Amino acid sequence: MKIVLALGGNALGESPKQQLELVKLSAKPIADLIEQGHDVIVAHGNGPQVGMINLAFEESKKMNKKIPDVPFAECNAMSQGYIGYHLQNALREELKDRSIEKSVATIITQVIVDRNDPAFVNPTKPIGGFYSLEEAEKLTEENTYAFVEDAGRGYRRVIASPKPLDIAEIEIISTLVDSGHLVIAVGGGGIPVYEEGHRLIGIDAVIDKDFASSKLAEKLNADYLIILTAVDQVAINFGKPDEKWLSELDVETTNRYIKEGHFAPGSMLPKVEAAKEFALSKKGRKALITSLGKASLGIQGKTGTRIENK
Ligand code: ADP
Ligand code: MG
């Protein structure tokens, strides 16, 4: 099967040292799937990593005026390179250890969004550090940034999270996959860009990696979308006494549970929606949400939550 596998950004740690250790763990279940004969394309989140990059620029700018403004699209590009570097080396090593001949490459991916996506009217995704009201007001004036109060901890910049429409590098990704290479793509949801004639222009936004992965799976005509996260399964009444873990979900039931508010926005909701969108995109396509170590068991139907359009 052709499988797009999305790793959670939280599974990659908060420092280069941590990440270097954690990518070794992430490489194993991916190599397992390859060893079982599947074609795997790897996508990943970047929340903590792009946060680190963005914060480093923000903080150093406060101390040294020569530090330039680094737009969020550029921060995403840096995070794709940084994570891809570690991940491709870990995968290379794991595959060599198993005598599997496969080259691994990270494709710095641009994801096309609609400049008029309604998400730009009401930005929701918090990024970067915390500011006082005074600082936030000053930055808003200087840069037309938007800020929100974050749970009593201060003010945080928010940016838009538009829907992915297309993947600029899809042809090259597809060619590499068809030639048997292992590709890492749409890191951190991809660099958000919009089209203007022949130009692709970066825009201050962050694309949800779950939606970008679903789009990648759809464009590559994959059979399976696997979203790996911190939990083995999706639950209804999550964290409550009547919590119930789910093994199978059809589209109708998924819609009902979404309406009833079972999935937290910003964490489980985008995964469930992305899984549903992929399953809906063509008959026979399946999506699985599970934890890192359970990917193989999950596609055998032994754990995880599978969403299928029956
Ligand atoms: P990732 O870095 O993989 O994107 P997130 O933290 O964004 O991870 O999302 C996964 C988290 O969503 C889980 O660890 C869990 O705490 C939370 N969650 C929220 N609602 C649910 C639910 N209904 N079922 C399972 N987990 C849920
Ligand atoms: Mg997430």
Side-chain angles (χ1 to χ4, degrees):
M1 286 195 296
K2 194 189 273 186
I3 300 172
V4 168
L5 182 146
L7 295 169
N10 293 321
L12 297 164
E14 288 181 349
S15 68
K17 193 167 172 248
Q18 245 183 22
Q19 182 169 281
L20 215 42
E21 285 306 310
L22 289 171
V23 286
K24 289 185 195 163
L25 300 179
S26 303
K28 289 190 195 303
I30 297 169
D32 286 344
L33 291 171
I34 293 169
E35 208 162 34
Q36 288 159 22
H38 300 296
D39 289 327
V40 183
I41 302 95
V42 180
H44 60 82
N46 74 345
Q49 298 74 26
V50 79
M52 171 191 85
I53 293 166
N54 187 250
L55 195 61
F57 285 117
E58 270 182 23
E59 290 300 311
S60 47
K61 200 177 156 65
K62 285 181 195 164
M63 288 179 285
N64 182 347
K65 297 278 173 248
K66 283 190 197 144
I67 303 287
D69 260 326
V70 180
F72 210 67
E74 274 74 357
C75 291
N76 176 293
M78 289 179 204
S79 78
Q80 285 191 43
Y82 158 57
I83 298 167
Y85 155 54
H86 279 176
L87 203 51
Q88 73 190 24
N89 279 343
L91 285 164
R92 177 181 186 270
E93 190 179 330
E94 186 66 35
L95 293 173
K96 280 193 181 295
D97 286 348
R98 300 182 190 210
S99 305
I100 299 171
E101 279 308 316
K102 220 178 227 313
S103 48
V104 193
T106 301
I107 299 292
I108 303 296
T109 316
Q110 303 176 86
V111 173
I112 297 162
V113 300
D114 179 357
R115 229 182 139 181
N116 299 312
D117 190 299
F120 288 107
V121 182
N122 182 26
T124 53
K125 196 110 180 163
I127 56 156
F130 293 91
Y131 292 89
S132 68
L133 178 60
E134 211 177 29
E135 288 169 326
E137 280 174 346
K138 190 161 166 273
L139 284 165
T140 304
E141 246 170 61
E142 287 169 0
N143 308 287
T144 64
Y145 285 177
F147 281 86
V148 291
E149 219 273 282
D150 192 330
R153 294 178 296 178
Y155 286 78
R156 260 183 116 185
R157 197 180 153 201
V158 281
I159 57 174
S161 189
K163 283 279 160 63
L165 297 181
D166 207 349
I167 295 166
E169 289 76 19
I170 196 68
E171 287 296 331
I172 186 80
I173 296 168
S174 180
T175 303
L176 288 170
V177 171
D178 289 347
S179 310
H181 304 296
L182 177 51
V183 180
I184 300 163
V186 299
I191 304 162
V193 295
Y194 64 91
E195 275 180 306
E196 204 172 81
H198 288 170
R199 284 176 69 202
L200 295 175
I201 302 169
I203 190 163
D204 252 344
V206 58
I207 301 165
D208 200 294
K209 74 108 185 6
D210 301 311
F211 289 123
S213 305
S214 169
K215 180 59 75 182
L216 177 67
E218 187 193 317
K219 291 270 164 189
L220 289 175
N221 198 15
D223 307 289
Y224 228 119
L225 169 67
I226 302 183
I227 299 177
L228 298 183
T229 185
V231 284
D232 288 356
Q233 286 182 305
V234 179
I236 49 170
N237 304 316
F238 179 67
K240 297 186 186 140
D242 53 348
E243 177 178 78
K244 186 177 160 222
W245 300 99
L246 307 166
S247 302
E248 305 278 346
L249 271 173
D250 57 38
V251 172
E252 221 170 275
T253 315
T254 306
N255 283 335
R256 181 156 54 86
Y257 288 159
I258 290 174
K259 233 189 221 157
E260 290 171 2
H262 287 288
F263 314 122
S267 62
M268 191 47 79
L269 183 60
K271 293 180 209 313
V272 171
E273 285 187 325
K276 185 191 83 176
E277 273 176 26
F278 178 67
L280 267 178
S281 63
K282 200 173 169 185
K283 265 235 146 14
R285 287 180 176 167
K286 286 183 208 170
L288 167 73
I289 301 172
T290 192
S291 61
L292 187 65
K294 302 282 167 68
S296 292
L297 282 177
I299 59 170
Q300 292 166 37
K302 292 179 183 159
T303 184
T305 304
R306 267 165 314 286
I307 302 184
E308 207 176 331
N309 182 22
K310 282 182 189 157

